[in-house]
């Protein structure tokens, strides 16, 4: 049930203005060129270390790419994506930024970001 609820919420978000804006932002970032390679790497291993320039989208966009792929494949309800940061303030700022891009509140009811 959780998976189907997530799928439905994701489908609504993708079609909404916020989802379209997020897709446009993601496409403009350098990390978007690696989406297929990241997908392939994550399908073959449970852990990946990603290095890139500041502002390339590795912390904000890659987790969203992975989440959207899991939702599209029907595995969204059983997928956990962890993104570490060196300081607590950075981690909470990152969570707020990703939630904002997805039109959600961090840890809110039905939120995919927590």
């Amino acid at each position: 049930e959780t998976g189907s609820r997530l799928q439905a919420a994701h489908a609504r978000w993708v079609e909404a203005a916020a989802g379209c804006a997020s897709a446009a932002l993601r496409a403009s970032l350098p990390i978007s060129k690696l989406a297929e390679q990241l997908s392939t790497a994550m399908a073959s291993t449970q852990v990946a270390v990603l290095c890139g320039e500041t502002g390339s989208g590795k912390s904000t966009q890659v987790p969203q790419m992975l989440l959207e792929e899991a939702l599209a494949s029907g595995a969204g309800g059983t997928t956990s994506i962890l993104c570490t940061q060196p300081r607590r303030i950075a981690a909470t700022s990152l969570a707020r930024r990703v939630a904002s891009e997805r039109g959600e509140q961090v840890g809110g009811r039905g939120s995919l970001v927590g």
Side-chain angles (χ1 to χ4, degrees), residues 58-82:
K58 55 192 180 299
S59 297
T60 58
Q61 303 308 307
V62 172
Q64 292 185 75
M65 287 178 194
L66 297 173
L67 173 63
E68 290 175 9
E69 184 171 315
L71 289 166
S73 71
T78 59
T79 299
S80 295
I81 301 166
L82 305 176

Side-chain angles (χ1 to χ4, degrees), residues 1-11 67 71 76-78 110-112:
E1 180 184 313
T2 300
S4 60
R5 253 184 325 154
L6 290 174
Q7 303 267 144
H10 174 68
L67 173 63
L71 289 166
T78 59
S111 177
L112 298 175

Side-chain angles (χ1 to χ4, degrees), residues 18-108:
C20 292
S22 181
L25 170 67
R26 186 174 300 128
S28 73
L29 293 170
I31 202 74
S32 69
K33 296 175 182 88
L34 300 175
E36 190 172 320
Q37 289 175 315
L38 290 168
S39 175
T40 301
M42 292 310 296
S44 63
T45 185
Q46 292 182 342
V47 177
V49 176
L50 184 61
C51 300
E53 295 292 324
T54 300
S56 65
K58 55 192 180 299
S59 297
T60 58
Q61 303 308 307
V62 172
Q64 292 185 75
M65 287 178 194
L66 297 173
L67 173 63
E68 290 175 9
E69 184 171 315
L71 289 166
S73 71
T78 59
T79 299
S80 295
I81 301 166
L82 305 176
C83 183
T84 63
Q85 293 292 307
R87 295 173 308 284
R88 181 174 180 233
I89 189 96
T92 56
S93 295
L94 174 62
R96 280 195 301 273
R97 165 110 185 243
V98 171
S100 174
E101 288 181 13
R102 299 191 65 78
E104 300 177 5
Q105 298 233 342
V106 175

